[in-house]
Amino acid sequence: MKIVEIKVLKGPNYWSVRRTKLIQMKLDLEEKEQMPTNAIIGFRERLEALLPSLIEHRCSVGERGGFFLRVDEGTWMGHVIEHIALEIQTLAGMDTGFGRTRGTGKDGEYYVCFSYMEEDAGVYAAHAAVRIAHALIFEEPYSMEEDIQRLREIREETRLGPSTGCIVDEAAKRGIPYIRLNKHSLVQLGYGVNQKRIRATIASTTGNIAVDIACDKEETKNLLQAAEIPVPRGTVIRTVEGLREAVDKFGFPLVIKPIDGNHGKGNTTNITTWEQSLTAFEAAKQYGRSVIVEKFITGFDFRILVINYKFICAALRTPASVIGDGKQTIQQLIDETNLDPRRGYGHEKVLTQITIDQFTQKMLDEKGYSLETVPLKDELVLLKPTANLSTGGTSNDVTDEVHPANIFMCERIAKIIGLDICGIDIMASDLRTPVSENGGAILEVNAAPGFRMHIEPSIGLPRNVAEPVVDMLFPKGSAGRIPIIAVTGTNGKTTTTRLTAHIAKSAGKKVGYTTSDGVYIQNQMMMKGDCTGPISSQFVLKDPTVDFAVLECARGGILKSGLAFQNCEVAIVTNVAADHIGLGGINNIEQMAKVKAVVPETVFPHGYAVLNADDDLVYAMRNNLKCNVALFSMDEHNERIKEHCAGGGLAAVFENGFISILKGTWKIRVINVKDVPLTYEGKAVHNIANCLPAVMASYLYRDITIEDIRSALMSFIPSSTQTPGRLNFFHFRNFSFLADFAHNPHGLKLLCDFVSKLDYPKKIGVISGTGDRRDEDIRELGEISAQYFDEIIIRCDKNLRGRTAEEIIGLLKEGIESVNPSLPTMTIANENQALEYIYANHQPGTLYTIMCDVVAGALDKIRELKEREDAEG
């Protein structure tokens, strides 16, 4: 067995629109193709012995143990690997269960697809599952624990922490989209101008000054003290002499901590001797030059959470500890505590397992204990200096016990510091009485407070503390979205995208859009090249200046990574034709239609899919949609249009020379096509077809008027800058170039239909074939060209994509000769040489129509020739 490739799908995709996070592994079974599971002696028994929990997999049988029934009946190894990959992730604390295994069209080769929670863990699971299956087949010993532990480690290394994660989950529940901006905890909630950001529990609304103050413990203490908030007496020191003065002034017990530390790093509490204070001083200096010495306040450690300056909840925190029984050693007590099923690795469970580290050893040393010491019965042995849950501490929710005076005090503290998400540490005997009366004190005010102790307390009621954060960031039910129009299809996508974006811009929108030639933010190109995949879409959605997105979504990006968005308001499907067949596991036009259908399937229920009623495959997509449907057609008498509109539906049609909108039985004439420059006075029929979905999609937005649409259609001038590679004319003194990106039979036929209506005495085609297309597709390009052009120049693409130049030229010639064996045809090595040849040997009055390989390169070369002609006079 051999893994051919692994793709990580991160959005709606070919396999599932709902389950967007999938690993797609192309697996070659090689000789194992001839070895179904029931033909491998003992395979079922070994599989069940290694992974008994697979009994819960229902598989297509639909009942517990269903997968093992399939194994008994005989199934292929790709299917087994799918289930192993899912199960080992679940055993590592990532419960996930969607999978599909399908043939690629090549014997013995399969797409094994399964869901994941963390990308790196999913990739690891793919490799591990193949190793496990191999070991089971050949009866080799295999240690599952190594894989499970590594998966746990990857999960903890890569996933969002519990605080950030719960905010993201709360936002997602409300339909607020999110984008993870780095591998840590920086996350964008919402899109474009409506986005907010969080990093852990600091929000984009949180002030820098407030965070600076909270990080400076002495500054915080001074502000609170000036506001009559009870704080411990203390001072800031830098030297041993300063330490001696502080000890003499405040006396023991003391607390020593770095002035700008966090998460308890460098903190030492309950210091009772000069030797302990020296050790604590050196520990604190590891995190900064200045050190705080404070009077140690006895009592319990409480954390109060204030969000948007309102009290939310409170927790009693206890450091990791064990209680002696007079019989077991400290190590034995720790091991017994870690058997608690609520304790797990990292953040996988409510509690974290207690580990032995330098802080534990230090605390035991100070008591004269070791891990082999047997504590007295009921003796509390603290193992960590701070009460962090991540180091094994526990929390007890005490929200309902907090005295109103303490609530008022904490809300006031948040205001004094200026923190909209604020964690306040209080040491006191309890919170039932005012801290100002029970001898308690405020120890710290924290920016980015941890939420885990509140959402998963060891004891007490869990609190949804993410809810008030999201309420603060997105008030009044805002989802933080911007309008998204997604455009897909085989031909016409880029022109439709550009025109739709132009209409929105004309209506006053700040538009970001992606095309096959680049990414544009408010008409400024930000990225150059084919930008029709999810990275480019995400670029637009991340831009804080954009309030309207038009995204071209091509086949390649959908198959490689899925879409960049979960939902859109409007989706356009222009058509589905035979292009890219045989690539990426798509072997026929029906499968290609399924790829394109991913886009309209993401439309919100209240949104619209704008579908081509003249295309059978596109029209059929409406059957699987859960949104509204609007249609477009070049024929207002199309029976599908008539039926749709009779039921009150919306459609855009070409009728009597007009682009019109049908609204039920009403007709709204938008504009005569002769007044639309893009249609070249109606000669470019395919551009009339491109206008229809752009008009229909724009009309669906109430704040885009018919006048906006009409004005935009009249001002959208086709040119090498406005529509690069789409019907770009360059007029020289004695001849003309027409450059177009037509790269498949369907597109070339539309281009040639347009050329046939132009008044030139002679028309010469400059054609090429794309190496990764089928033989019949390349031949058809030759056939179409022979039907329309008086002469043909064959040139080769810059990238031959797996074929030789001779192969491509031969197939094109076969197509040409099948139509007109005597048609004058010549071959020139590449595009630039062909253009140079035409410039030097042009025939007066001739139109040279060139199928561009690299649009930008071809246009630059033609401009260079034009400048040369102008310079030559």
Side-chain angles (χ1 to χ4, degrees), residues 706-746:
I706 291 292
E707 188 51 48
D708 291 328
I709 296 170
R710 183 180 298 117
S711 174
L713 290 171
M714 293 172 67
S715 62
F716 190 74
I717 311 297
S719 66
S720 59
T721 53
Q722 180 82 280
T723 55
R726 275 75 186 173
L727 298 188
N728 299 152
F729 281 94
F730 295 86
H731 299 293
F732 288 67
R733 275 196 290 272
N734 296 317
F735 71 101
S736 295
F737 275 122
L738 172 58
D740 196 274
F741 186 54
H743 58 284
N744 56 53
H746 184 265

Side-chain angles (χ1 to χ4, degrees), residues 570-588:
V570 176
I572 294 171
V573 187
T574 58
N575 47 60
V576 178
D579 191 22
H580 297 98
I581 302 299
L583 300 177
I586 304 304
N587 300 311
N588 55 59

Side-chain angles (χ1 to χ4, degrees), residues 220-242:
T220 300
K221 182 177 175 182
N222 291 339
L223 284 173
L224 297 183
Q225 196 167 26
E228 295 297 326
I229 303 292
V231 295
R233 293 186 306 133
T235 188
V236 176
I237 64 167
R238 290 190 176 185
T239 64
V240 173
E241 290 75 16

Side-chain angles (χ1 to χ4, degrees), residues 495 498 517 678 680 686-687 716-732 736-742 751 754-755 758 760 847-852 854-856 858-860 862-863:
T495 300
R498 282 183 165 276
D517 57 83
L678 186 63
Y680 291 90
H686 63 291
N687 273 347
F716 190 74
I717 311 297
S719 66
S720 59
T721 53
Q722 180 82 280
T723 55
R726 275 75 186 173
L727 298 188
N728 299 152
F729 281 94
F730 295 86
H731 299 293
F732 288 67
S736 295
F737 275 122
L738 172 58
D740 196 274
F741 186 54
L751 172 64
F754 169 65
V755 170
L758 302 178
Y760 286 88
L847 174 66
Y848 292 88
T849 301
I850 179 167
M851 295 170 59
C852 299
V854 180
V855 170
L859 298 183
D860 287 345
I862 295 172
R863 291 190 190 101

Side-chain angles (χ1 to χ4, degrees), residues 21 160 168-169 171-172 175-181 187-191 481 538 564 566:
K21 297 170 70 172
L160 292 171
V168 168
D169 290 345
I176 298 169
Y178 69 92
I179 300 172
R180 191 168 179 178
L181 298 176
V187 178
Q188 174 183 316
L189 303 177
Y191 290 149
R481 293 182 175 273
Q538 202 170 83
Q566 301 292 327

Side-chain angles (χ1 to χ4, degrees), residues 102-111 585 587 591:
R102 300 289 184 269
T104 67
K106 178 182 175 182
D107 286 347
E109 194 174 78
Y110 294 85
Y111 284 123
N587 300 311
Q591 288 179 327

Side-chain angles (χ1 to χ4, degrees), residues 160-180 185-189 198-200 451 466-467 469-470 473:
L160 292 171
S163 300
T164 314
C166 74
I167 297 172
V168 168
D169 290 345
E170 178 66 25
K173 279 193 293 186
R174 302 187 191 193
I176 298 169
Y178 69 92
I179 300 172
R180 191 168 179 178
S185 57
L186 184 61
V187 178
Q188 174 183 316
L189 303 177
I198 57 170
R199 184 166 63 188
F451 283 1
E467 182 177 37
V469 174
V470 178
L473 297 175

Side-chain angles (χ1 to χ4, degrees), residues 84-94 114 116 118-129 131-132 144-159 345 348:
I84 292 174
L86 289 169
E87 187 58 22
I88 60 177
Q89 288 182 90
T90 298
L91 292 173
M94 294 169 283
F114 58 89
Y116 65 88
E118 301 301 326
E119 176 182 328
D120 291 349
V123 172
Y124 183 92
H127 289 282
R131 292 195 300 268
I132 292 167
M144 284 286 301
E145 274 310 307
E146 291 181 15
D147 284 333
I148 301 302
Q149 181 58 27
R150 182 59 193 137
L151 282 167
R152 286 179 179 139
E153 291 168 357
I154 293 171
R155 180 199 69 210
E156 292 304 303
E157 291 164 5
T158 60
R159 77 171 177 174
Y345 181 83
E348 72 178 347

